[in-house]
Amino acid sequence: MNLNQLELLRVLQETDFNLSRAAEKMHVVQSAVSRQLQLLEAELGSSLFERHGKRLLGLTPLGERIIREVDQIHKAKKNIQSMADDFRDNRNGALHVATTHTQAKYLLPMPVKNFREKYPGIKIYMVQSSPDDLIELLHKHEADIAICTEKLAEVDDLILRPCYQWHHVAVVPTGHPLADGKLSLERLAGYPILTYSPGFTGRSAIERAFGEAGVQPDIVLAAADSDVIKTYVRLGLGVGIIAETSYEPGKDADLVALDLSALIAPSTTKIAYLKQLYLPSYCRYFIDELLKQAQANKH
Amino acid sequence: MNLNQLELLRVLQETDFNLSRAAEKMHVVQSAVSRQLQLLEAELGSSLFERHGKRLLGLTPLGERIIREVDQIHKAKKNIQSMADDFRDNRNGALHVATTHTQAKYLLPMPVKNFREKYPGIKIYMVQSSPDDLIELLHKHEADIAICTEKLAEVDDLILRPCYQWHHVAVVPTGHPLADGKLSLERLAGYPILTYSPGFTGRSAIERAFGEAGVQPDIVLAAADSDVIKTYVRLGLGVGIIAETSYEPGKDADLVALDLSALIAPSTTKIAYLKQLYLPSYCRYFIDELLKQAQANKH
DNA sequence: TTGCGTTACGACTCTCGTAAGGATG
DNA sequence: CATCCTTACGAGAGTCGTAACGCAA
């Protein structure tokens, strides 16, 4: 048994149990992985994959169990590498951040700028994705940290750090009737609503608020980002509901933002990363910068 | 980086960072481990060991961290082996049980007998040791399961399964004055006491009972096993306090057992094993037998 | 026929063991 | 001077790549 053979199991799982593609991923010829797999199975004395003829179809029950251990080993190995790189003051690492549009646009810019200055050698990769995907990206080790508001509570192999709390605002063109008088969910629901896609940026809090009030909003546009929403608000499609941070007084002077903190429960944006993985110091620095930025935004 | 190099780190820790002895343990010549260690340190880019000249003195901070990951890897690797062996219905395994005298003599015999019949190919190794050592044996992977009453609560990487609850009895020769009338801790303390060594078989419960009563017993003999205690009780050295299960009505007809359940809190004997290690099916069978035996003893 | 996996064989790399050498207490 | 670690070098084991073959969609 050796690390390459165990790695092969992981790669096979990621390639639909296709030896040829696994070989490609591992930068060896196909016959090599074929032999290594045979050797491993021979050593363990049982087959780890269900087969149809020569083709691999999936894992056997034993294979399932073993691959869980392989994942542990893979994580530990990664940790050893990261720690050594970190200790050596390696300035050639990479930071993979997965987040949603809202955070990428309104929270990350300053932290990223500071990070670039402090760690010019570290490449920053940002993946913008849906909250559903973020957790998966962490688990696949394709992201080091994820920043988002929704969907980050269910899993327990993550460390979750609350970053900042915010509330929603309604945005309407200046002169819109809603801008006067007292706001209520009922009045809001009297207009077509434009807001985030399900699963994005506090959408669940919006739904909960309307649901508990027994009001059925007419959501005519659901977008992944605030800019799209604002664009259509400008076109007069209806009332936008976006995160307060997404309203920019300067650029959005033609829009009015109406505080909804009394009507819709606040949302908390969190930072998440895998509990079992070692976080290099530059990663910790980035998280600290995010928290600092979140503090600054409050004032 | 490969598994042997990582294993070397573990072995070095166990051999006081002595390359020569580590080489012996790994069944290779000393120059081989020297080179492998150099290769690993070169690959990671930092040294993992504090050195004084050529000699290794201990781990660097980085080495400390890395070895924790190495332990994870070692456990996972062991699990893979165990699972494969178990799945293949391997009848050539071994069961390492660590326990104290009392359990070895009064709880284990039947379970061991049943185990031998069901798994004749599995060798049973029993290590008798002090409760202090048992946990260490588990951590060093020199024991699969530990059975004992004391000291099994503090660590959280163990799974603890309560096995049975029992209380102490006082044993005196027939005709001893204590055999008549009402027992109390004060009366007991009027005689020399013979009981277990600190840390053994509920000794802590005995101390707590006397301590809370404000009575200072005169413990003239502290032994690791009940048989020694009974022997000296027979010689008239004083009153023995032993586990109820250690009093055998047949063999011990010349002694009287006096129930102390009202005076000394009951003790619970537990089975412990490492949370992160895979338990082969024969191991689980043995644990089941122990629990069954504990049930049977109640009646 | 194409895609996928296995088997055979020669070349290369890696690791080991032997042996000699240097440092430390 | 005994113990411990390192270095040099040749032998052997292990792994890879090429290539030819078998099998199924």
Side-chain angles (χ1 to χ4, degrees):
Chain A
M1 189 192 318
N2 62 46
L3 286 172
N4 274 333
Q5 290 171 339
L6 299 183
E7 181 68 13
L8 172 58
L9 297 186
R10 288 189 59 256
V11 174
L12 275 170
Q13 205 181 26
E14 288 174 1
T15 53
D16 274 330
F17 313 106
N18 180 316
L19 282 189
S20 309
R21 277 198 286 150
E24 215 173 315
K25 267 207 177 185
M26 299 190 72
H27 309 291
V28 288
V29 294
Q30 186 268 351
S31 73
V33 305
S34 176
R35 238 173 308 119
Q36 289 304 319
L37 181 57
Q38 286 171 30
L39 287 173
L40 180 62
E41 290 189 321
E43 183 182 343
L44 295 179
S46 326
S47 72
L48 307 179
F49 293 90
E50 304 283 5
R51 286 175 166 80
H52 186 283
K54 294 179 174 179
R55 249 157 252 220
L56 306 184
L57 297 178
L59 290 160
T60 60
L62 175 63
E64 292 272 7
R65 292 202 185 186
I66 285 185
I67 209 143
R68 275 183 251 154
E69 304 297 323
V70 170
D71 278 333
Q72 294 292 319
I73 291 178
H74 182 248
K75 277 184 203 142
K77 187 182 147 199
K78 254 191 81 142
N79 284 347
I80 291 175
Q81 294 281 11
S82 314
M83 288 171 178
D85 291 348
D86 201 21
F87 198 85
R88 198 176 7 142
D89 228 33
N90 192 348
R91 307 275 166 184
N92 304 315
L95 174 65
H96 294 256
V97 183
T99 184
T100 54
H101 172 89
T102 308
Q103 311 310 327
K105 177 140 190 199
Y106 299 100
L107 177 66
L108 297 192
M110 277 303 290
V112 167
K113 182 166 171 288
N114 294 341
F115 184 87
R116 293 229 50 135
E117 281 165 14
K118 174 136 183 184
Y119 295 102
I122 310 265
K123 283 204 172 184
I124 303 185
Y125 294 94
M126 286 191 37
V127 188
Q128 192 174 318
S129 187
S130 75
D132 282 315
D133 289 342
L134 294 182
I135 300 172
E136 205 184 324
L137 288 173
L138 287 177
H139 280 133
K140 286 199 293 184
H141 302 179
E142 290 177 18
D144 300 311
I145 67 176
I147 308 158
C148 105
T149 305
E150 308 266 336
K151 306 266 180 184
L152 280 184
E154 295 105 25
V155 203
D156 73 336
D157 57 349
L158 295 182
I159 291 180
L160 284 184
R161 302 183 58 176
C163 186
Y164 67 102
Q165 207 184 53
W166 50 270
H167 55 84
H168 290 90
V169 295
V171 285
V172 291
T174 50
H176 190 280
L178 261 187
D180 308 323
K182 205 168 146 50
L183 270 178
S184 71
L185 291 174
E186 287 76 10
R187 269 193 82 195
L188 270 177
Y191 298 88
I193 300 290
L194 296 77
T195 190
Y196 301 108
S197 309
F200 276 82
T201 319
R203 161 85 183 235
S204 62
I206 299 173
E207 283 173 1
R208 222 177 308 121
F210 281 105
E212 284 170 7
V215 179
Q216 177 75 27
D218 177 26
I219 298 178
V220 296
L221 180 142
D225 68 273
S226 319
D227 291 325
V228 170
I229 297 172
K230 288 189 282 190
T231 302
Y232 286 95
V233 168
R234 290 194 170 93
L235 293 180
L237 241 70
V239 178
I241 299 183
I242 62 176
E244 58 172 324
T245 41
S246 301
Y247 176 80
E248 297 169 282
K251 288 188 191 168
D252 298 334
D254 56 334
L255 298 177
V256 184
L258 309 166
D259 187 334
L260 294 180
S261 56
L263 302 179
I264 299 175
S267 298
T268 302
T269 295
K270 309 169 205 73
I271 303 173
Y273 46 89
L274 282 179
K275 195 177 280 182
Q276 298 182 73
L277 277 193
Y278 175 77
L279 228 50
S281 51
Y282 59 80
C283 237
R284 295 196 295 273
Y285 170 82
F286 187 71
I287 290 173
D288 286 344
E289 283 300 307
L290 285 175
L291 296 173
K292 216 183 291 176
Q293 180 64 31
Q295 282 302 315
N297 281 352
K298 272 193 187 170
H299 313 300
Chain B
M1 188 191 321
N2 62 46
L3 286 172
N4 275 332
Q5 291 171 338
L6 299 183
E7 181 69 12
L8 172 58
L9 298 187
R10 286 189 61 254
V11 174
L12 275 171
Q13 206 182 24
E14 287 174 2
T15 54
D16 274 328
F17 312 105
N18 181 314
L19 283 188
S20 309
R21 278 198 285 148
E24 215 173 313
K25 266 208 178 185
M26 297 191 73
H27 309 291
V28 288
V29 295
Q30 185 268 352
S31 74
V33 304
S34 176
R35 239 171 306 117
Q36 288 305 317
L37 181 57
Q38 286 171 30
L39 287 173
L40 180 61
E41 289 189 322
E43 183 181 344
L44 295 179
S46 328
S47 73
L48 307 179
F49 293 90
E50 304 283 4
R51 287 176 166 79
H52 186 280
K54 293 181 176 178
R55 247 158 256 219
L56 306 184
L57 296 179
L59 291 160
T60 60
L62 175 63
E64 291 274 7
R65 291 202 184 187
I66 285 185
I67 208 142
R68 275 183 249 154
E69 304 297 324
V70 170
D71 277 333
Q72 294 292 321
I73 290 179
H74 182 248
K75 277 184 204 142
K77 187 181 145 198
K78 255 192 80 144
N79 284 347
I80 291 175
Q81 293 282 11
S82 313
M83 289 172 181
D85 291 348
D86 201 23
F87 198 84
R88 196 171 13 137
D89 227 33
N90 192 347
R91 306 277 167 185
N92 304 315
L95 174 65
H96 293 255
V97 183
T99 185
T100 55
H101 171 90
T102 309
Q103 310 310 327
K105 176 140 189 199
Y106 299 100
L107 177 66
L108 297 192
M110 277 304 290
V112 167
K113 181 166 171 288
N114 293 342
F115 184 87
R116 293 229 50 135
E117 281 164 14
K118 174 137 184 185
Y119 295 101
I122 311 265
K123 282 204 173 186
I124 304 185
Y125 295 93
M126 285 189 39
V127 188
Q128 192 174 318
S129 187
S130 75
D132 281 314
D133 290 343
L134 295 183
I135 300 172
E136 205 184 325
L137 288 173
L138 288 177
H139 281 132
K140 287 199 293 185
H141 302 179
E142 290 177 17
D144 300 312
I145 67 177
I147 308 158
C148 101
T149 306
E150 308 264 336
K151 306 265 178 184
L152 281 183
E154 295 105 27
V155 203
D156 74 335
D157 58 349
L158 295 181
I159 291 180
L160 285 183
R161 302 182 58 177
C163 186
Y164 66 103
Q165 207 185 51
W166 51 269
H167 55 84
H168 290 91
V169 295
V171 284
V172 290
T174 50
H176 190 280
L178 261 188
D180 308 325
K182 206 168 144 50
L183 271 179
S184 72
L185 291 175
E186 286 77 10
R187 271 194 81 194
L188 270 177
Y191 298 89
I193 300 290
L194 298 77
T195 191
Y196 300 108
S197 307
F200 275 83
T201 321
R203 161 85 181 234
S204 62
I206 299 174
E207 283 173 0
R208 221 177 308 120
F210 280 104
E212 284 170 5
V215 179
Q216 177 74 28
D218 177 25
I219 298 177
V220 296
L221 181 142
D225 68 273
S226 320
D227 290 325
V228 171
I229 297 171
K230 287 190 283 189
T231 302
Y232 286 95
V233 168
R234 290 196 171 93
L235 293 179
L237 241 70
V239 179
I241 299 182
I242 62 176
E244 58 172 323
T245 40
S246 301
Y247 176 82
E248 297 168 281
K251 287 187 190 169
D252 298 333
D254 55 334
L255 297 177
V256 185
L258 309 166
D259 187 335
L260 295 180
S261 56
L263 302 179
I264 299 175
S267 299
T268 302
T269 295
K270 309 169 207 72
I271 304 172
Y273 47 90
L274 284 179
K275 198 178 277 183
Q276 298 182 71
L277 278 193
Y278 175 76
L279 229 49
S281 51
Y282 59 81
C283 237
R284 296 195 296 272
Y285 171 82
F286 187 71
I287 290 173
D288 287 344
E289 283 300 306
L290 285 176
L291 296 173
K292 217 184 291 176
Q293 180 64 31
Q295 283 301 316
N297 281 353
K298 272 193 186 168
H299 313 300

